[in-house]
Amino acid sequence: MRLQNKLNPHSPSMALKKSYWIGIPLLIAGLGWYGFQQWNKAPESLVNTPPSQTLEAQQLLNNFQKNAEQSNQLYLNQVIQISGTCIRSESQGDSVHFVYLGGQGNGDVLCQLESKQDLLPQKGDAIQCKGICTGYDDLTGGVSMNRCILTPKN
């Protein structure tokens, strides 16, 4: 009788084995799809994120030039809001836009904008920008920020 159970394709143990062959690949495919969605998820906009620091672009630049190590502890990977004078703005294609804020011949703050702006600021415009500080570049003598948004000047 036991031998007949093993050979019977309609036995409960055979049905369980068949469900494994269907269920495990479906589970793996579902986990793969979830992982793919999370990997390609766009970062959240900084519009509603309050800045941890608010300061002038020249002050941020001076702080990094005086003591980069201490400034990294204060500003690196933090959402900060800076204000200053636009030195220049440029676009690279349709999706990458940069605004350079005010150094006085000794570097500048590079703000990579999060999204396309209808109008980029012009040279000499007083602007305010919020973004994530990505650090100081010894080669250019400037500070970089990314995911920046232009905010209304207070």
Side-chain angles (χ1 to χ4, degrees):
M1 187 79 97
R2 215 176 194 177
L3 183 59
Q4 283 181 334
N5 240 358
K6 284 187 177 181
L7 298 176
N8 184 358
H10 302 294
S11 72
S13 64
M14 289 300 281
L16 186 61
K17 286 180 183 177
K18 284 182 182 178
S19 67
Y20 283 143
W21 282 105
I22 294 170
I24 290 175
L26 284 176
L27 178 66
I28 291 170
L31 289 172
W33 177 82
Y34 176 77
F36 178 78
Q37 294 297 320
Q38 292 301 310
W39 181 266
N40 291 309
K41 186 176 172 182
E44 201 172 304
S45 176
L46 298 178
V47 171
N48 296 322
T49 306
S52 63
Q53 303 270 341
T54 302
L55 61 160
E56 293 289 323
Q58 188 61 50
Q59 182 184 357
L60 177 67
L61 190 58
N62 290 342
N63 290 347
F64 269 100
Q65 289 173 343
K66 286 179 187 169
N67 190 341
E69 189 174 310
Q70 182 181 7
S71 295
N72 277 334
Q73 291 175 355
L74 287 173
Y75 307 118
L76 193 63
N77 296 321
Q78 298 293 316
V79 176
I80 60 173
Q81 184 166 304
I82 60 171
S83 54
T85 303
C86 176
I87 297 172
R88 70 180 190 275
S89 57
E90 62 183 48
S91 295
Q92 295 178 353
D94 288 337
S95 60
V96 181
H97 306 282
F98 299 102
V99 175
Y100 296 85
L101 294 179
Q104 297 161 346
N106 59 348
D108 49 32
V109 179
L110 165 66
C111 300
Q112 181 178 354
L113 299 180
E114 180 176 69
S115 62
K116 183 175 182 175
Q117 303 290 314
D118 293 332
L119 292 171
L120 289 174
Q122 299 300 311
K123 182 177 181 175
D125 289 351
I127 61 171
Q128 192 165 285
C129 178
K130 179 169 58 170
I132 297 175
C133 181
T134 55
Y136 180 71
D137 185 355
D138 290 330
L139 185 63
T140 63
V143 177
S144 297
M145 294 175 59
N146 68 11
R147 293 180 50 206
C148 295
I149 55 171
L150 298 176
T151 57
K153 192 116 165 110
N154 294 343

